[in-house]
Amino acid sequence: VDSCPRRILVVDDDHGILDSFEVLLGDRFDLIKAENGADALRILDVDPPELMFLDIKMPGINGIDILKKLREDRNHVGVVVITASNEEGIEDEAKSFGLIDYLKKPLDIFEIDRIASHVLS
Amino acid sequence: MPSDKYSKALRLQTRLIIYSTLLILILMSLVIVLVEKSQRKTIEDEVKKRGVAIAHNLASLSTNALLTYNYVVLEQNGEKVALEEDIAYIIVHDKENRVAVYSQHDEKQGTILADEVSKRAVGTSTLLIQPTFYGEMEEPILDISIPVYIKESKEKWGTVRVGLSLERMSGQILKTRIYLLLLGFFAILFGTMGSIFFARRITQPISTLVDITISAAKGDLEQEINIRTGDEIEELSRNFSHMIEQIRLHRNELENQLREIVSLKAYNDNILSSMTNGMITIDLENRVVTLNKMAERLLEKRSEEVIGFPLAKALGPQHPFHGMMMETLFHAKGISYSELKLKKGEEILWLIAGTSLLTDGEGKKIGALMVFQDITEIKALEEKLRRSDRLAALGSLSAGLAHEIRNPLSAIKTFVQLLPKKSDNSSFMEKFHITVPREVDRINQLVEDLLELTRTRKRTLVSLDVNHLMTQVIDLHGEEMKKRKVALEDHLDRTIPQIQGDPEQIYRALSNLVINSIQAMPTGGLLSISSRHENSKAPVIKIIILDTGIGMDETTSQNLFSPFFTTKDKGVGLGMALTRKIVEDHNGTIEVSSEKGKGSTFVLKFPVVRT
């Protein structure tokens, strides 16, 4: 058992979502929240997490932009996309970056739990 | 008409002959009469002269015998003279007027003759010539009487009378007359023949010319005129030949032009009948001049029923075409294309129709033209498209709505799912009580906005100060701006007039825009607000909200005011759609210009109602 908790980044411009992750994973993991793409990239650069939950539709730098940046940087952090969108184009494009999973909102706590535990075990 | 001119030419010849013959006749008659008269006079004079000579001779022979009353000598002399030619009788009267000698009438010797001629003869003192008749045959004679005087005496001693027979003279005159008549006859004969010959010579080329003119008049312009008379007729034929040549050239030119016109007309007719547009033209009297095939089909009229008739009669006075054409002619200006709905039996015919003024080469109006097209199918397609557009809009609205609801739903779901496990955790419960109602409220707000967007609400209009509302909005978001490092530039013109509006609604619109701008600047920037009064023909209040935020691409800014329009960046939700609705409900306009990475500018205009 590691002494320091594993690091997880949640990127979403919706405070409700960020708050949900806080109550769900906050007491077990080192949970970092970013409410826009720019913040997320900075965190990814400075203090990279082991797992990232990423929203796609955000103002400014969006989820796809971040995925592109990760590929450019050969950053192999595990990404789980969380989205409220139904657009197939977005799903296909996101999946082309190699995701752990692609989850549609509303999210299910058991699914999140399972992924987090599995990836970080 | 060119027919039977030939007979007139014949008459010309006949006339020439008649006139010249008449002329010859008159001239000859005149000549004959004059010659006969002069001949007769000459003959008569000669006879008279001879008679007078004989009488003088006898008188001189008889003077002495009369003085001496020697009747024997007188008789001898008388009988001798009486034997001369043409002497009908010789009478010698003595001093007492008794007959001394009377040739072949001795029984009269010694008597006094009582006839009038004898009385005048014995009574004369000079030469007296009396025409009279003599003998049983009553032949014409001249009685020539000469009184006999002796020298140096005024006493008359007797009278010598010579009866001169005119028979021979008459014969001579008759002969002369016969000669003259014969001469006249031959002169007329030859003259007439000559005139016939010359008349023919003159009229022959004229006849030829007439023949040529007749066939030229009938259309044969390809003939050669070969008249060589060397006179005016040749000149006439030359001129005529030149004239025919000119006519031929003109005719050829006309024929060519006609051919061109015919082919041009065929070409035009072809275009008209091939046109997929209906076309009608009318003249200034509103009569239909042209109606093409497509017009026939669309209006279900045959051109024979329409062309030449007034438009109102052809199509009916209530027909919209009638009004449009009248308007075009009246204003001398075409009407741009507009849609028309016509009833065609049970069906509805949609047409698009426009007119233009027809003018001649000099720009004078000569009629009007209407072109129209059947757009019934297009209309049906449009309707279909509108329906699918509506469905697509509904689809995008639903997608947007789903997106906006799923975030709060997701949060609620998480908290609710965790509730059984963490109901003892006071920190969790605290967050639960904050988050769940907030997220439920968000959903409710969404529903409210959606309803608001589709609601047609009666607005309560009051005079309001936009600056005041804007200041309130800025005040409310002051903290947020500070937190996001957004600086404010206030260019509000405090002197702008008030507008009529619903303050709550306007506040909401302004608030939406300010929030949008603040959110567009996650890493700080500048928010500039300004207001100004544009006092033009239609005075407006102009409000400009400018940010130096992330900006938008063209697709996003174009669709910014559509409900739930979403891109990969962000679903815009209902805020902007609602804002536009509010502005437009106030008869205002809203425009956005934006550049990705540089920022966005919103310009609102509200009309100022002058009181």
Side-chain angles (χ1 to χ4, degrees), chain B residues 19 36 75 90 102 132 149 190 230 365 468 530 550 574 606:
Chain B
Y19 291 158
E36 191 261 0
E75 206 174 332
I90 293 291
Y102 198 150
T132 181
Y149 294 94
F190 289 121
K365 78 172 172 183
H468 179 65
S530 41
I550 52 175
L574 287 175
F606 291 105

Side-chain angles (χ1 to χ4, degrees), chain B residues 464-475:
Chain B
L464 58 88
D465 180 2
V466 183
N467 286 333
H468 179 65
L469 292 174
M470 185 58 112
T471 314
Q472 280 186 349
V473 171
I474 296 294
D475 285 350

Side-chain angles (χ1 to χ4, degrees), chain B residues 560-604:
Chain B
L560 189 64
F561 301 109
S562 307
F564 297 124
F565 171 76
T566 53
T567 64
K568 279 171 200 167
D569 294 345
K570 173 79 178 126
V572 295
L574 287 175
M576 284 297 149
L578 210 55
T579 302
R580 182 173 69 174
K581 182 171 186 285
I582 291 166
V583 172
E584 286 177 355
D585 278 352
H586 284 80
N587 301 320
T589 59
I590 182 166
E591 280 168 27
V592 61
S593 58
S594 185
E595 199 177 330
K596 206 164 162 79
K598 294 219 168 153
S600 308
T601 306
F602 289 87
V603 178
L604 285 84

